[in-house]
Amino acid sequence: MLGGIFSFHSKWKDRQDTYMHKPQPLQCTSLNFRGFQFTQAMLFAIEEVNNNTDLLPGISLGYKIYDACGSIARGVRVALALANGNEDSSSLSEAPCSRPAQVQAIMGETSSSPCMAIATVIGPFHIPLISHFATCACLSNKVKYPSFLRTIPSDYYQSRALAQLVKHFGWTWVGAIRTNDDYGNNGMATFTETAQQLGICLEYSVSFFRTDPPDKIQKIINIIKTSTSKVIVAFLSHMDMDVLIHELSYHNLTGYQWVGTEGWIFDSQTAAMDRHHILDGAIGLSIPKAQVSGMREFMVDVKPLNTSSNQMFTEFWETLFSCKFKQPKPTTGNQRKCTGVEDLTEVHNSFTDMSLMPIFNNVYKGVYAVAHALHNILGCNKTCHTNVQLDPFTILQHIKRIRFKTKEGDEVCFNENGDPVAKYEIINWQPKENDIVDFVTVGLHDASLPADKQLNMLNESLIWAGNSHQVPLSVCSEMCPPGTRKVLQKGKPVCCYDCLRCAEGEFSNSTDSITCVRCHPEYWSNERRDACVKKDAEFLSYEEIMGALLTAASLFGTCMTAAVAFIFFRYRKTPIVRANNSELSFLLLFSLTLCFLCSLTFIGQPSEWSCMLRHTAFGITFVLCISCVLGKTIVVLMAFSATLPGSNVMKWFGPTQQRLSVLAFTLIQVVICILWLAISPPFPFKNFKEFKDKIILECALGSAVGFWAVLGYIGLLAMLCFILAFLARKLPDNFNEAKFITFSMLIFCAVWITFIPAYVSSPGKFSVAVEIFAILASSFGLLICIFIPKCYIILLKPEKNTKKNMMGKGAPKSF
């Protein structure tokens, strides 16, 4: 015996219990043809099994079917009636109290909430409850519902599939409406969780039940009106959707893209109610289409019963054919008297609609699952062992383990949670002429495949809301283009953000980037901030104006020094050349030539050798130069000291000593440079910090101590030379060289004292230019102050170039 619990009615009348009398039975209203269809599907399967000689031979299946009215309380009551029977419990009997259940399994219920209550009650008795349409993922909990099984996939898979579908079309800002029961609340909770993982945000999530007062549904309508999202995910049963459509039509809320569940998306009755085209273009998941041969003909082959003994069938027949069996008043309008022989083939209504054939097939599979389990338990071959005690727990365990194929080739089996394999079709509502909606399969979803292959859209043309062929856009914020990053708006979901342009030196090359990536130090972001371009390398080159001018100045100084050297060589025997230590003069001119030329090593792209050469060459040549000047200064002092009576100073600082002093002073600088190069030499360096968009190619000092030691030694010699020359400036002579040395050293020291702050504060290549300028300025100062006055006398005042004039006595001039 099989039990059946279906809802032949969808509503019931509210009643106020006074607790003074026994409550009256629930009064059901709103006849529901779907309940009759599910019953017919169950009867068809039972009849087919009974006529099948290969399955349960010699055993006939019977049935007991109750109307649950969609009520949880009534569902529990009829479930207990199926388990216990309707006998009077107060009658005395010698039979044992523990008896087998009245039914071996129960088919139903249609909704999740009644199934949860029924499964909770009959679970301890291990009576199998096989549902064809209860999809709540909570029913997969075998601890709470050990005897529950179903032939429809769990919402655990449907909710995730819906989230993947929404993400597939780029909808990240959606609204959500759900049935306020276990089906809607649990399904939407799973959808929300998955949606968040996929980056989808819910602008609102509201619930209602079909029996709610109108003001609650009105609040939902107001929320939809004020929302900015254009996509609505509806986790509703068909009965709740029918109520919602009525309100949506009243307010003419069209233009929204609806995403639906199997509860209503392929329901032709729901489509027929949508006369204002609210749901046109809707898309959602449905159970795969199915055909069971012979079922359609069986379902419409309804035989009239003795109406006096079956009130519900009377109501069904009168509603089906719009007639009345008893008419106490004259017939009005189109109403007519029922004869009991009406032809159902001439009627077109929701009962004759076979769009729910996939669900009918689920009922069919459930009956066959029980039949196959009984077949195995009874050890049927050609006959069955009828003396086997049918224990509900044994039946439940065998149903869980069965695996068979129906006559149509559909495989039936259950996993450890009592669920079948989750496969869905993606349905698109495409309106046709005469207000007919065509349910077009536009894709498939198979939860058994890897996550990236589960959703498979077919090459079908989709119709969207408003009969549009373009995918609607539903986002809180437009996508951030490359070159920007997302910044969340305060107090709003993560899908609401502003697009902030990447900072300088950062880029993003993808849409909706959450961060900007910093460019490699050698690169800089372009104007659009969507890519990095190589920075321009900057160094003081010969091609630019400043480099060319400095080069010209260096070469001019070299040529000028060479010209002076030529003049001195040409007039080397004249008194003015001989009187000023011609050997040191030529050595000084040579060192000045090197000073002018060493500035050229600072121009051009730095290399390992040029970096080491430029500073060491500069240091050594300048020390050589200052050593020569210092030698000349000492010679002047010695020369005038030697004129004093009894003085023998000159023999201690003759030409040999002069050469050795220059060599000694220069060797000290050479040692400093060698130590600098050995310990931490200068090296080429890419300076990324000075400028954001340029690379400064420069020579790093290596050891700052070495650099400042070189400069310090030059400064020490220059100060010593300046002091000695200053002391000798008033010595009597017509041509006292100490005066000019003093001037040259004054210029030299002034240049290098101002060089230090200018060098430190100058950016990039300008610091190199400052150093070159200091070298050239000090070199020109020495050349002009020491040698140009002599060249003036040699070339323009030859009459003064005599020994007598050189030795002339006179009062010293002060300055």
Side-chain angles (χ1 to χ4, degrees), residues 707-751:
F707 174 73
W708 292 110
V710 168
L711 282 185
Y713 183 63
I714 294 173
L716 178 66
L717 291 181
M719 290 301 296
L720 179 63
C721 186
F722 172 73
I723 291 169
L724 294 177
F726 184 79
L727 294 175
R729 74 190 188 284
K730 293 187 177 181
L731 292 176
D733 198 345
N734 277 350
F735 195 82
N736 184 359
E737 195 174 21
K739 297 176 183 179
F740 303 107
I741 292 173
T742 304
F743 275 117
S744 65
M745 287 297 101
L746 188 63
I747 294 171
F748 185 92
C749 292
V751 167

Side-chain angles (χ1 to χ4, degrees), residues 430-569:
Q430 299 190 3
K432 303 297 181 183
E433 296 179 356
N434 301 323
D435 290 337
I436 297 174
V437 175
D438 191 10
F439 300 138
V440 179
T441 301
V442 295
L444 302 171
H445 188 279
D446 188 347
S448 63
L449 298 176
D452 58 335
K453 296 180 180 179
Q454 291 177 356
L455 185 64
N456 180 26
M457 297 303 294
L458 306 177
N459 294 325
E460 295 287 341
S461 177
L462 279 79
I463 301 294
W464 302 104
N467 286 331
S468 171
H469 290 274
Q470 187 174 0
V471 179
L473 184 66
S474 184
V475 294
C476 182
S477 302
E478 294 287 342
M479 286 193 301
C480 287
T484 61
R485 64 182 177 90
K486 297 194 295 187
V487 179
L488 298 182
Q489 296 178 359
K490 189 175 181 180
K492 291 189 176 182
V494 294
C495 299
C496 301
Y497 48 81
D498 296 317
C499 298
L500 192 66
R501 193 165 185 247
C502 290
E504 290 183 339
E506 297 180 347
F507 78 102
S508 66
N509 57 4
S510 60
T511 56
D512 278 345
S513 177
I514 58 174
T515 57
C516 293
V517 181
R518 179 160 292 279
C519 295
H520 187 273
E522 294 191 14
Y523 290 81
W524 191 248
S525 56
N526 59 7
E527 185 63 27
R528 296 189 302 274
R529 305 283 200 273
D530 59 359
C532 288
V533 294
K534 196 170 181 62
K535 290 181 181 179
D536 293 331
E538 184 178 86
F539 56 90
L540 188 62
S541 66
Y542 295 102
E543 288 78 12
E544 60 181 297
I545 296 175
M546 184 165 58
L549 289 176
L550 292 173
T551 302
S554 174
L555 295 176
F556 176 73
T558 303
C559 295
M560 189 174 173
T561 306
V564 171
F566 175 76
I567 293 171
F568 265 54
F569 183 77

Side-chain angles (χ1 to χ4, degrees), residues 7 164 324 542 735 746 766 813:
S7 294
Q164 292 176 19
K324 286 287 185 179
Y542 295 102
F735 195 82
L746 188 63
F766 297 102
K813 299 177 182 180

Side-chain angles (χ1 to χ4, degrees), residues 79 106-107 191 238 278 292 298 386 414 446 470 532 619 671 771:
I106 299 175
M107 303 292 113
F191 171 82
H238 68 277
I278 303 296
V292 182
F298 180 88
T386 56
F414 302 98
D446 188 347
Q470 187 174 0
C532 288
V671 171
E771 192 168 357

Side-chain angles (χ1 to χ4, degrees), residues 60-110:
S60 294
L61 297 180
Y63 57 87
K64 286 184 178 182
I65 300 176
Y66 285 87
D67 178 15
C69 257
S71 166
I72 296 177
R74 189 179 176 101
V76 172
R77 180 171 180 171
V78 300
L80 290 173
L82 288 171
N84 299 325
N86 294 322
E87 67 276 357
D88 187 359
S89 58
S90 62
S91 61
L92 297 177
S93 174
E94 295 181 359
C97 292
S98 59
R99 301 181 302 276
Q102 296 297 304
V103 293
Q104 274 64 55
I106 299 175
M107 303 292 113
E109 225 270 20
T110 304

Side-chain angles (χ1 to χ4, degrees), residues 278-328:
I278 303 296
L279 303 178
D280 280 2
I283 193 169
L285 302 176
S286 76
I287 307 304
K289 291 184 176 66
Q291 291 296 329
V292 182
S293 57
M295 181 178 286
R296 178 184 178 86
E297 293 74 16
F298 180 88
M299 294 183 71
V300 298
D301 186 19
V302 181
K303 302 294 191 299
L305 299 175
N306 183 358
T307 57
S308 62
S309 62
N310 195 311
Q311 182 181 353
M312 186 170 64
F313 188 83
T314 299
E315 183 184 0
F316 163 72
W317 196 269
E318 289 178 342
T319 306
L320 187 61
F321 293 103
S322 302
C323 63
K324 286 287 185 179
F325 280 103
K326 296 179 180 180
Q327 287 185 306

